[in-house]
Amino acid sequence: MRREEKQLEASLDALLSQVADLKNSLGSFIYKLENEYDRLTWPSVLDSFALLSGQLNTLNKVLKHEKTPLFRNQVIIPLVLSPDRDEDLMRQTEGRVPVFSHEVVPDHLRTKPDPEVEEQEKQLTTDAARIGADAAQKQIQSLNKMCSNLLEKISKEERESESGGLRPNKQTFNPADTNALVAAVAFGKGLSNWRPSGSSGPGQPGQPGAGTILAGTSGLQQVQMAGAPSQQQPMLSGVQMAQAGQPGKMPSGIKTNIKSASMHPYQRS
């Protein structure tokens, strides 16, 4: 009996040491993710994962060792339950469990999963027991076939991507056409000065100028004013005075008509 107790204590000490190392590694990795994410590189992340994986494998080896007793056969019974704060418990749990009361004990000393999880596990076990050996073998073969096809497709895609990366990229444009287009846009190279035959600028033959139109208009007004009666002379004089009081404006044909009308042959001197 004494020998079994010593073996149990030694196994617990080794297990606690492995768990402490794993906890420190997890804490260091979480600290890097939260505070050093801007300087974190993918190789360092892979190294952290490799360290955690190795520590988990070592922990499993300790649990599966032949000298390690079966911890599932050991029973833990709480001797004292108190709602008061326990400083020793705080120190041993690193501040996670301040009291050891009726509210905390069911969570920390539970040896079975939650009732909902346990019910789902029982349902899965019952469904698996209903399937016969032949049906299970067919499902296994179908699943293996699907996995093999998926792996084959993935391998094919990897080979095609590797071969595509080795081949030079096919050229999809003509450098000569590109250079000609750039020269035409930037320097006007190769562009002609052709214009449509019907378009002509101001002052060119084939299109009457503004002076011709104004001259024709003035002549028409002079003819009309020459045959007008003498009663219109005051009105035209008022127009002439109104236009003369506006500096900076071009004299129009009305002013010329007024002068010609004032030179009546029968006007007294």
Side-chain angles (χ1 to χ4, degrees):
M1 188 68 181
R2 187 69 178 176
R3 181 180 178 183
E4 293 179 356
E5 290 180 358
K6 289 184 177 180
Q7 188 176 3
L8 180 61
E9 290 179 0
S11 300
L12 284 176
D13 292 339
L15 186 62
L16 289 174
S17 176
Q18 296 295 330
V19 172
D21 293 340
L22 181 60
K23 184 177 74 67
N24 293 332
S25 300
L26 281 173
S28 177
F29 184 52
I30 292 173
Y31 178 82
K32 288 181 180 179
L33 291 177
E34 291 179 350
N35 301 295
E36 300 179 0
Y37 58 89
D38 53 344
R39 301 187 303 272
L40 200 61
T41 59
W42 182 243
S44 63
V45 174
L46 292 179
D47 293 340
S48 300
F49 274 116
L51 179 61
L52 294 174
S53 177
Q55 290 176 346
L56 287 174
N57 290 331
T58 304
L59 182 61
N60 289 329
K61 288 180 180 180
V62 171
L63 291 174
K64 294 179 180 179
H65 197 269
E66 58 182 6
K67 293 183 180 181
T68 302
L70 295 176
F71 294 105
R72 68 181 63 182
N73 296 333
Q74 305 297 325
V75 180
I76 300 176
I77 300 175
L79 299 178
V80 178
L81 298 177
S82 175
D84 299 331
R85 185 184 180 90
D86 192 346
E87 297 297 334
D88 295 336
L89 185 62
M90 282 279 294
R91 184 176 62 258
Q92 293 178 1
T93 59
E94 298 180 355
R96 292 189 297 271
V97 183
V99 295
F100 200 67
S101 60
H102 297 79
E103 185 179 359
V104 177
V105 168
D107 294 331
H108 291 277
L109 299 183
R110 178 178 296 174
T111 58
K112 291 184 178 182
D114 293 338
E116 297 179 358
V117 178
E118 189 175 2
E119 186 66 24
Q120 292 179 0
E121 186 177 358
K122 288 182 180 180
Q123 184 66 30
L124 293 175
T125 304
T126 304
D127 294 341
R130 292 177 182 175
I131 301 175
D134 297 338
Q137 189 66 26
K138 289 181 179 179
Q139 291 182 3
I140 292 172
Q141 292 178 357
S142 177
L143 181 60
N144 291 334
K145 186 177 180 180
M146 292 174 60
C147 293
S148 299
N149 294 334
L150 183 60
L151 290 174
E152 185 178 356
K153 290 182 179 180
I154 293 174
S155 301
K156 184 178 179 181
E157 291 292 336
E158 290 180 352
R159 290 194 300 268
E160 289 181 355
S161 61
E162 290 177 358
S163 61
L166 295 176
R167 290 197 305 265
N169 295 329
K170 185 178 179 181
Q171 193 172 7
T172 57
F173 66 95
N174 189 356
D177 294 344
T178 304
N179 295 332
L181 181 60
V182 171
V185 173
F187 308 105
K189 184 178 179 181
L191 300 180
S192 62
N193 296 326
W194 178 83
R195 290 184 178 180
S197 59
S199 64
S200 60
Q204 293 182 358
Q207 183 177 1
T212 308
I213 297 176
L214 291 175
T217 307
S218 176
L220 290 175
Q221 290 178 354
Q222 289 180 4
V223 171
Q224 292 176 0
M225 294 300 296
S230 60
Q231 287 81 3
Q232 294 182 359
Q233 289 181 3
M235 182 181 65
L236 294 176
S237 300
V239 175
Q240 179 182 1
M241 293 175 61
Q243 289 188 354
Q246 296 180 358
K249 298 188 71 175
M250 181 183 294
S252 62
I254 300 175
K255 185 176 181 181
T256 307
N257 296 336
I258 293 171
K259 289 182 179 180
S260 61
S262 61
M263 297 174 62
H264 198 274
Y266 297 102
Q267 185 176 5
R268 294 180 181 180
S269 58

